[in-house]
């Protein structure tokens, strides 16, 4: 399992940050792990979208459907739901992520957490690469969100 946590202070409200996260087309401008997005469906506090995944150092992956669940003003949890489109990926890997916002001074403290795991023998190939590359990628993603929201 490869896990990365990045924390950053951002001068915005929790709602502004979490609204950005819940808009995958807009968030894809700063997150290189989100390849071409085919569709987005939002129903209240749940957004699902289909996209081509791209993991740092591993290149483009298969198309998957991701589900984001918003706890208003607090966090977004991200998973790959049990759907036909995710069947292969769910057999060979695991994925979980979250964005948590805590008020801090005149802004918020964002905690971005992401975790990937792989079944053997893919684990031996993919996890060492992700251990080297994922941290810098997630740091760049969070800095990109900060720049976007603070301009």
């Amino acid at each position: 399992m490869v896990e990365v946590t990045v924390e950053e202070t951002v001068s915005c409200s929790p709602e502004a940050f979490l609204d950005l996260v819940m808009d995958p087309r807009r968030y894809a401008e700063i997150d290189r792990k989100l390849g071409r997005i085919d569709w987005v469906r939002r129903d209240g506090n749940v957004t699902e979208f289909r996209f081509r995944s791209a993991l740092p150092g591993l290149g483009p992956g298969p198309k998957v459907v991701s589900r984001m669940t918003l706890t208003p003003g607090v966090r977004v949890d991200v998973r790959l739901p049990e759907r036909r489109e995710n069947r292969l990926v769910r057999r060979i890997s695991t994925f979980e992520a979250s964005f948590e916002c805590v008020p801090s001074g005149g802004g918020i403290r964002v905690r971005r957490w992401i975790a990937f795991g792989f079944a053997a023998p893919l684990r031996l190939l993919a996890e060492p690469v992700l251990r080297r590359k994922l941290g810098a990628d997630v740091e760049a993603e969070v800095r990109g969100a900060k720049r976007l929201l603070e301009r």
Side-chain angles (χ1 to χ4, degrees), residues 118-132:
F118 297 88
L122 192 55
R123 177 183 315 126
L124 299 173
L125 302 170
E127 289 187 8
V129 172
L130 276 184
R131 275 191 190 87
R132 286 192 312 274

Side-chain angles (χ1 to χ4, degrees), residues 70-146:
L70 172 68
T71 302
V74 178
R75 66 184 294 130
V76 170
D77 293 294
V78 188
R79 307 279 185 273
L80 296 180
E82 291 192 33
R83 294 178 56 112
R84 177 181 47 83
E85 297 98 321
N86 294 340
R87 195 173 322 157
L88 173 63
V89 171
R90 289 176 56 89
R91 278 193 197 131
I92 62 171
S93 65
T94 60
F95 166 76
E96 293 182 76
S98 65
F99 299 82
E100 185 175 9
C101 297
V102 176
S104 174
I108 57 171
R109 187 79 180 155
V110 174
R111 182 176 182 263
R112 168 69 158 129
W113 172 78
I114 190 166
F116 292 95
F118 297 88
L122 192 55
R123 177 183 315 126
L124 299 173
L125 302 170
E127 289 187 8
V129 172
L130 276 184
R131 275 191 190 87
R132 286 192 312 274
K133 305 275 186 174
L134 187 60
D137 182 86
V138 175
E139 287 174 8
E141 169 195 336
V142 173
R143 282 193 311 269
K146 178 182 174 92

Side-chain angles (χ1 to χ4, degrees), residues 33-38 50-54 60-64:
K33 293 176 293 305
L34 300 178
R36 182 173 173 268
I37 296 173
D38 294 333
R50 183 174 178 216
F51 70 104
R52 169 127 2 240
S53 61
K63 289 188 177 190
V64 294

